[in-house]
Amino acid sequence: MVSLSAMSDFNTTDFAAQMRDFQASDDARQKLFADMLERYTALLEEYETLNNDYASEREIRRSYQQSVNQMQREVAETRHELEDHSFVLALIDGDGVIFQDALLRAAGSDGGSEAASRLQHAIRDHITSLYGNSGNWPIMVQIYVSLDKLAQKLASVGLIEKPSDLRTFAQGFSLNQSLFTIVDVGQGKERADHKIKEMLRTFSDNPTCRHIIFGGCHDAGYVLNLDQYKHHAAKAARITLLESTPAWRGFTELPNFRRTRFDNVFRNTELPEYGYTVSRSHALIQPNISAPMQPPVSAFVTPVTRTLTDPVPAPGFTNPPPGFPSAPPGFPVSNNPRDTPTMSSPATTASSLAATNSTPEPTDASWAAVGKKNGVPPTEKISIAPKSKSNKKWAYYNKEEQRLDEPLPPKDKAAYEAIEARMKRSGKNLCNHWHLNNGKCTNGANCHFQHEPKLSNAGLIALRYKTRSLACKDRYCQNVSCYLGHQCSFERDQGWCPFPDTCNLRHTHGMDKVKATRWDEYGEMEEL
């Protein structure tokens, strides 16, 4: 127990100070505890948030990983399917890329079958050299061609015997390989081009189409379609330019494209302009320029006297149509109609055939008497063409389906000279298509030849004589209104041609002149 004396000695001031110190220390301790509790509470909240975030991220990561795994499986399956469905596409313009002569001449469908086999091996070898894993890629070949037009051309140059042979060839080609097809685009300009351009646009971005072989380097119209890929190295590398005949310059300047040739499948030269005579056994090919040198003598035909009004190469020879070579040097030429010789030739049409005991035609019925003053034909005239039972236009063909020409009405010298003078004055030739096609010309105002004024009937006949001297490139021409020549008129009318080596239609010498069928402008056929 504290004594009273000790309490009296205790300083209250110091006691109060010590109490204040204790109070301050308690406050500081309390504040520290409060701060620590607040920070601990914040840390707990942050921990809870982070824990929740972690759990969410873990769930997202697991979901993402599952998605990645699923996508990887899908990518692997897609790659597998892509590999399984990959193919090579060959787009070929058959109007300019022509099969080898030996393939076309092969009998029946064997040529087409052999062509398909060769093409399949050629494409396979080329693709194998580019891709190591291409062994199972199917090869699809699409050849777009105007089949009838090409058939007529090939027959005209002697690579096939008749136009129908090309269809047999196409059938054999398509049957040999299940994905090989020759597509007939029919008659019409740029039809094959349109289809090939669309196919190129469609498959150039198709991932299953691993490579495209483009066979159209002969046609400059395709350059613009390929030009868009030339700076895209990856796309350009997926296209091979197939060259047959020398490629147009625009194709050789395209960068990044691959190039190849299949010379054992396709011709590397253009088709000849004129034809050849091909033997049935295909063992011999000879130029078809032979012609009989003496006119045949017919004992049952009454000759029709024809007086020629143009300069002639020699007495006894008929004058060639305009466009034929001039008379050889040294042969007499007369510009006086009274000095021109006459020549009798057996007529080849039905209207001029007569028995030997029939009465000859009177002098007034001769060709020279047909024309009247100023070149206007009379109302009644003698025509050597057979009279048709209708107003239809007909095109005549022999048994080999080769086009034959009907003789023209007599030519008026004055009308012919008027045409020559008109062209000389203007310095321009007449537009054959406009004058002989009822005023229709595809060039319109851009045509470089003369249109107006129109020619008279006599002038039109004279112009037809000029155009008949120009050979039509299609010996199987189906254009009923074609104004070009399809056979030598000399050989047709008199049995032989005085210009066997220089005749513009010498490739028709020796052809069968007997009419077998005729076709009208509506596609109807009659057998004769």
Side-chain angles (χ1 to χ4, degrees), residues 420-475:
E420 293 289 333
R422 173 177 168 177
M423 292 190 297
K424 185 176 181 180
R425 286 194 305 268
S426 64
K428 293 182 180 180
N429 291 335
L430 298 180
C431 177
N432 299 328
H433 203 62
W434 189 86
H435 287 281
L436 301 178
N437 193 34
N438 298 321
K440 299 176 183 178
C441 175
T442 55
N443 293 325
N446 297 322
C447 184
H448 299 293
F449 302 103
Q450 293 188 60
H451 287 185
E452 297 287 357
K454 295 181 178 180
L455 296 175
S456 64
N457 289 336
L460 291 174
I461 293 173
L463 182 60
R464 287 190 181 277
Y465 270 93
K466 292 178 68 67
T467 59
R468 276 286 182 89
S469 67
L470 304 174
C472 177
K473 293 184 178 181
D474 187 356
R475 293 188 66 180

Side-chain angles (χ1 to χ4, degrees), residues 61-79:
R61 177 64 181 175
R62 288 177 179 176
S63 177
Y64 172 77
Q65 188 62 43
Q66 291 176 354
S67 299
V68 169
N69 294 338
Q70 179 65 24
M71 292 180 63
Q72 288 178 344
R73 287 193 296 269
E74 291 178 356
V75 169
E77 291 175 0
T78 300
R79 288 179 177 175

Side-chain angles (χ1 to χ4, degrees), residues 348-349 394-397 402-408 467-472 477 482-489 492-493 505 508 511 513 515:
T348 60
T349 59
W394 295 95
Y396 292 85
Y397 301 86
Q402 295 170 328
R403 177 75 173 266
L404 301 174
D405 289 331
E406 286 287 270
L408 294 171
T467 59
R468 276 286 182 89
S469 67
L470 304 174
C472 177
C477 178
C482 182
Y483 49 74
L484 298 174
H486 304 92
Q487 69 178 126
C488 174
S489 60
R492 179 195 63 214
D493 296 339
L505 291 155
T508 69
M511 69 182 291
K513 296 181 284 296
K515 299 173 184 175

Side-chain angles (χ1 to χ4, degrees), residues 192-243:
D193 301 39
H194 173 71
K195 287 187 173 292
I196 290 177
K197 291 174 182 178
E198 272 302 300
M199 291 287 287
L200 179 64
R201 183 189 66 81
T202 301
F203 286 96
S204 59
D205 292 323
N206 188 327
T208 59
C209 182
R210 305 297 293 274
H211 202 83
I212 296 176
I213 295 177
F214 179 81
C217 298
H218 61 281
D219 189 343
Y222 295 118
V223 173
L224 290 178
N225 298 89
L226 296 171
D227 191 72
Q228 58 183 312
Y229 305 122
K230 68 180 181 181
H231 296 304
H232 195 306
K235 284 189 176 181
R238 292 178 56 236
I239 300 176
T240 293
L241 302 181
L242 172 61
E243 299 178 0

